[in-house]
Amino acid sequence: RLSGIVEELLDFSRMQSGRMDMRFERMDILAELEEAVVLYREKAERDGIELQYVENDNLPPILGDRDRLKQVFINILDNALKYSGPGGKVRIEAAEVGRHVQVVISDCGEGISKTDLPHIKQKFYRANRTRPGSGIGLALADEIVMRHKGYLDIDSEQGVGTTVTITLPTADSGILSAQT
């Protein structure tokens, strides 16, 4: 666990200083999303959490860094499972919205308070200090998504759950092509 925290911190530091190389290529975002879902399916079953993946085989390609986007999905799924208890449900779906692809990951977990929500993407900020974590995962995910000219939005209500929406431009939108 400590090794993972150190690696995330190094990645975040590299990204903030502009030293992290990102390899943008035309890609199928579903391949990375599905790989992250497969990685967490067994953990979800072990923890008594229903992992519901709504497949969509008809999404346009995006320009992205495969490894970094997979890292985003892993961070978000890890949080969703961590804050959902036995009997909970985590739903993952992706859709084309205009000239963007949206990945929505929602859980029926404990949720985030309205006072914590504006700070949740800040480095080292942890709304719930009783759970393991470094407070780097969401900050790093947000930075990666911004480098893809996208948005990471978090909506949450205590006692109801959290929904994370990752919005990325399609490859043909022209939004990211100037950066690659």
Side-chain angles (χ1 to χ4, degrees):
R1 203 173 110 221
L2 183 58
S3 174
I5 291 170
V6 169
E7 197 60 42
E8 278 190 332
L9 187 55
L10 287 171
D11 281 348
F12 191 81
S13 176
R14 282 186 211 109
M15 194 165 287
Q16 289 288 308
S17 66
R19 293 187 328 242
M20 177 177 278
D21 291 329
M22 296 190 58
R23 294 178 309 275
F24 290 93
E25 60 184 309
R26 192 175 183 90
M27 62 173 276
D28 174 9
I29 194 169
L30 292 178
E32 306 317 313
L33 180 60
E34 288 169 4
E35 193 170 321
V37 169
V38 166
L39 284 171
Y40 279 91
R41 189 168 299 284
E42 188 176 309
K43 178 180 177 12
E45 286 176 18
R46 218 177 26 248
D47 293 347
I49 299 169
E50 179 187 347
L51 194 61
Q52 184 181 54
Y53 176 53
V54 181
E55 295 187 47
N56 183 341
D57 296 331
N58 195 21
L59 290 180
I62 67 161
L63 290 176
D65 183 306
R66 294 175 189 280
D67 293 335
R68 296 300 167 203
L69 288 174
K70 187 176 359 174
Q71 185 176 11
V72 168
F73 300 142
I74 286 171
N75 283 349
I76 303 303
L77 277 172
D78 188 61
N79 280 347
L81 291 174
K82 187 186 318 179
Y83 293 103
S84 295
K89 181 168 77 170
V90 173
R91 180 179 170 94
I92 305 111
E93 56 189 315
E96 182 177 4
V97 179
R99 298 176 74 177
H100 293 82
V101 171
Q102 276 191 345
V103 175
V104 179
I105 301 172
S106 55
D107 67 57
C108 300
E110 60 190 55
I112 304 164
S113 75
K114 295 294 179 203
T115 54
D116 287 324
L117 198 54
H119 309 286
I120 204 69
K121 293 189 285 185
Q122 294 173 358
K123 184 170 57 168
F124 300 122
Y125 190 86
R126 292 177 45 216
N128 183 337
R129 299 195 186 290
T130 64
R131 304 276 182 152
S134 62
I136 299 172
L138 281 176
L140 182 58
D142 188 48
E143 188 70 28
I144 290 169
V145 170
M146 283 193 301
R147 294 272 305 266
H148 282 80
K149 302 294 185 210
Y151 306 94
L152 188 145
D153 296 309
I154 302 172
D155 185 37
S156 189
E157 186 176 334
Q158 272 190 305
V160 176
T162 301
T163 298
V164 177
T165 304
I166 302 156
T167 305
L168 299 164
T170 62
D172 298 327
S173 69
I175 294 173
L176 192 63
S177 58
Q179 182 177 345
T180 57

